[in-house]
């Protein structure tokens, strides 16, 4: 019996005959099969031919396995795939950073004025006393817009550069040096993402640390530009790259590796056999661990960004001199660990949840097992 043909899009991943797909190209052959089956199911009942309840209409589609090329299915590494990852990045970064605005507000003020804002508890107390509960969300608009723009570039370009560098390296070296590819891809993506974030970050810090400067982005941005010019919005780009690029490299590389280790050593069954809710739980846990590492690595640069955006005309040297090396590495660190750990865990959870929603797999996990000789032969025949 001749072997059935295979769908060009689906054969590499499903290895199922094309007549099982519900695409229009195979509906006629499936209808013919139904017709032949129906003819054999005629039975005699009281000398009357009775046809069993079999639908023989050849135009009706039967769902078995959806073809990857059908509308609504997103092909991996297609423009639609990168668009979905970009949208997932907007949701994951924009929503989470906005949600932790109160923590970010206290952290920034602790970095700028540690005498007045001595601890997390006293920091919240001072803000509540001076501005009320509403004041805890001061600067939420530039936070939402800035980190939405950053998230779009961070996640969208990460997926692009990860694939791009893997293609350059080739399958063998891409698997061997996968951590280097994660690091290079995330660094490239963050370089672009920070250019989108920097103006919003400058206004956010000024609004949060100088009460009365502006109500938010709409009046804060023009006031900032009038005071320091358009280039003043980017005076913190160097420290921002210094903070965010190591942060993102740690965030993506450690997440990918932690997910792989969890599925390899801590979870008793392969990733593809776990339910989607379970996989999303793994994404959150791995993201939280990655977030703690990110906070430690990027904290000195975070202190510099806050100082430079608050003090007009200040330099990096002046910031280090005023805060001291110990203060540069430790001031506000416990709060930032709590904030970034929760933030990063939630970001990966939201990002992967959106990917699952649109039909894509979650991020990370052990590399697929090598194809068996039988599957290789099927590929050759098809």
């Amino acid at each position: 019996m001749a072997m059935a043909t295979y769908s060009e899009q689906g054969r590499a991943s499903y290895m199922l005959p094309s007549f099982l797909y519900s695409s229009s190209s195979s509906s006629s052959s499936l209808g013919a099969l139904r017709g032949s089956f129906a003819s054999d199911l005629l039975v005699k009942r009281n000398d009357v031919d009775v046809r069993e309840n079999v639908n023989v209409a050849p135009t009706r589609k039967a769902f078995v396995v959806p073809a990857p090329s059908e509308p609504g299915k997103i092909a991996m590494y297609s423009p639609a795939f990168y668009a979905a990852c970009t949208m997932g990045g907007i949701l994951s970064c924009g929503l989470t950073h906005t949600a932790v605005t109160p923590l970010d507000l206290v952290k920034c003020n602790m970095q700028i004025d540690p005498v007045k804002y001595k601890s997390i508890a006293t920091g919240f107390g001072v803000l509540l006393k001076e501005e009320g509960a509403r004041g805890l969300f001061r600067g939420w608009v530039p936070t939402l817009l800035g980190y939405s723009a950053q998230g779009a570039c961070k996640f969208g370009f990460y997926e692009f550069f990860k694939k791009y560098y893997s293609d350059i390296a080739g399958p063998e070296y891409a698997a061997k040096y996968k951590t280097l590819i994660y690091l290079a891809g995330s660094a490239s993506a963050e370089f672009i993402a920070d250019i989108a974030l920097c103006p919003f970050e400058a206004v956010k810090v000024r609004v949060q640390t100088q009460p009365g400067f502006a109500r938010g982005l709409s009046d804060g941005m023009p006031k900032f530009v009038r005071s320091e010019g358009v280039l003043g919005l980017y005076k913190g780009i160097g420290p921002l790259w210094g903070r965010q690029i190591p942060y993102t490299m740690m965030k993506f590389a450690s997440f990918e590796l932690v997910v792989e280790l969890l599925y390899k050593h801590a979870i008793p069954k392969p990733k593809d056999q776990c339910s989607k809710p379970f996989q999303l739980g793994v994404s959150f846990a791995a993201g939280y661990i990655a977030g703690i590492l990110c906070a430690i690595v990027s904290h000195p640069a975070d202190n510099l960004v806050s100082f430079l955006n608050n003090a007009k005309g200040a330099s990096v040297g002046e910031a280090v001199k005023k805060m001291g090396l110990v203060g540069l590495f430790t001031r506000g660190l416990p709060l930032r660990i709590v904030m970034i750990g929760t933030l990063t865990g939630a970001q990966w959870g939201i990002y992967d949840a959106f990917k699952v929603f649109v039909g894509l797999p979650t991020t990370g996990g052990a590399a697929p097992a090598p194809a068996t000789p039988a599957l290789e032969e099927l590929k050759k025949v098809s």
Side-chain angles (χ1 to χ4, degrees):
M1 180 177 180
M3 180 173 292
T5 61
Y6 291 81
S7 167
E8 289 298 324
Q9 292 289 332
R11 64 188 179 190
S13 30
Y14 295 106
M15 302 306 301
L16 292 174
S18 61
F19 65 77
L20 291 180
Y21 291 128
S22 56
S23 58
S24 57
S25 62
S26 59
S27 59
S28 58
S29 60
L30 187 56
L33 283 173
R34 287 203 201 97
S36 63
F37 293 155
S39 64
D40 293 334
L41 291 175
L42 289 173
V43 295
K44 284 284 187 178
R45 292 181 182 171
N46 297 325
D47 298 327
V48 178
D49 287 341
V50 179
R51 184 178 298 272
E52 294 292 331
N53 292 326
V54 178
N55 183 4
V56 297
T59 57
R60 181 178 176 182
K61 297 180 181 180
F63 173 81
V64 182
V65 177
S69 59
E70 289 179 2
K73 293 294 178 182
I74 298 178
M76 292 293 290
Y77 311 119
S78 65
F81 167 78
Y82 293 118
C85 294
T86 298
M87 187 64 206
I90 291 173
L91 294 175
S92 68
C93 290
L95 295 179
T96 52
H97 276 277
T98 304
V100 297
T101 296
L103 284 173
D104 188 42
L105 183 61
V106 173
K107 174 195 65 91
C108 288
N109 281 284
M110 287 176 65
Q111 292 170 330
I112 299 304
D113 192 353
V115 175
K116 183 178 181 180
Y117 301 90
K118 297 179 181 179
S119 66
I120 299 172
T122 59
F124 275 107
V126 169
L127 289 171
L128 286 171
K129 182 179 179 180
E130 293 183 352
E131 303 182 44
R134 187 176 180 180
L136 292 177
F137 281 88
R138 180 157 35 95
W140 73 270
V141 174
T143 298
L144 174 62
L145 297 180
Y147 283 93
S148 293
Q150 186 211 38
C153 298
K154 185 197 297 275
F155 283 90
F157 279 109
Y158 172 68
E159 298 286 3
F160 171 80
F161 283 117
K162 184 169 68 170
K163 176 69 165 58
Y164 179 73
Y165 294 145
S166 295
D167 288 345
I168 292 176
E172 180 182 353
Y173 288 108
K176 186 176 181 180
Y177 300 108
K178 59 189 174 187
T179 301
L180 291 178
I181 289 175
Y182 299 151
L183 292 171
S186 57
S188 301
E190 189 60 42
F191 182 88
I192 298 171
D194 288 343
I195 296 173
L197 169 65
C198 194
F200 298 98
E201 181 76 357
V203 176
K204 175 189 80 73
V205 171
R206 188 67 62 88
V207 169
Q208 289 182 334
T209 58
Q210 292 186 11
F213 171 75
R215 294 187 305 274
L217 181 67
S218 60
D219 57 337
M221 181 75 80
K223 190 172 182 179
F224 195 107
V225 172
R226 285 195 301 268
S227 174
E228 304 191 33
V230 175
L231 293 180
L233 293 170
Y234 284 93
K235 72 175 184 178
I237 189 67
L240 189 60
W241 277 329
R243 179 189 79 181
Q244 290 298 129
I245 290 179
Y247 166 88
T248 301
M249 292 170 72
M250 180 65 72
K251 173 180 179 176
F252 282 84
S254 61
F255 172 83
E256 297 260 15
L257 294 176
V258 168
V259 169
E260 182 175 343
L261 290 174
L262 287 176
Y263 281 114
K264 188 175 182 179
H265 299 292
I267 299 170
K269 54 184 178 180
K271 175 182 174 180
D272 57 2
Q273 295 180 19
C274 298
S275 67
K276 293 301 182 184
F278 184 88
Q279 291 183 35
L280 294 177
V282 172
S283 294
F284 177 81
Y288 202 100
I289 295 171
I292 294 174
L293 299 174
C294 292
I296 295 171
V297 167
S298 63
H299 192 65
D302 183 66
N303 272 326
L304 289 176
V305 170
S306 295
F307 187 92
L308 292 173
N309 283 323
N310 182 69
K312 183 177 179 180
S315 66
V316 173
E318 291 170 346
V320 174
K321 183 178 179 180
K322 184 169 183 178
M323 286 188 287
L325 285 176
V326 175
L328 188 65
F329 280 85
T330 62
R331 186 181 294 178
L333 180 59
L335 177 58
R336 192 158 187 268
I337 286 177
V338 174
M339 185 182 81
I340 297 300
T342 305
L343 194 72
T344 307
Q347 283 178 356
W348 278 113
I350 292 172
Y351 178 67
D352 273 353
F354 183 80
K355 289 176 72 175
V356 169
F357 175 75
V358 298
L360 292 170
T362 57
T363 310
T372 62
L375 289 180
E376 291 296 333
E377 287 300 318
L378 284 174
K379 289 180 182 180
K380 292 177 181 178
V381 172
S382 63

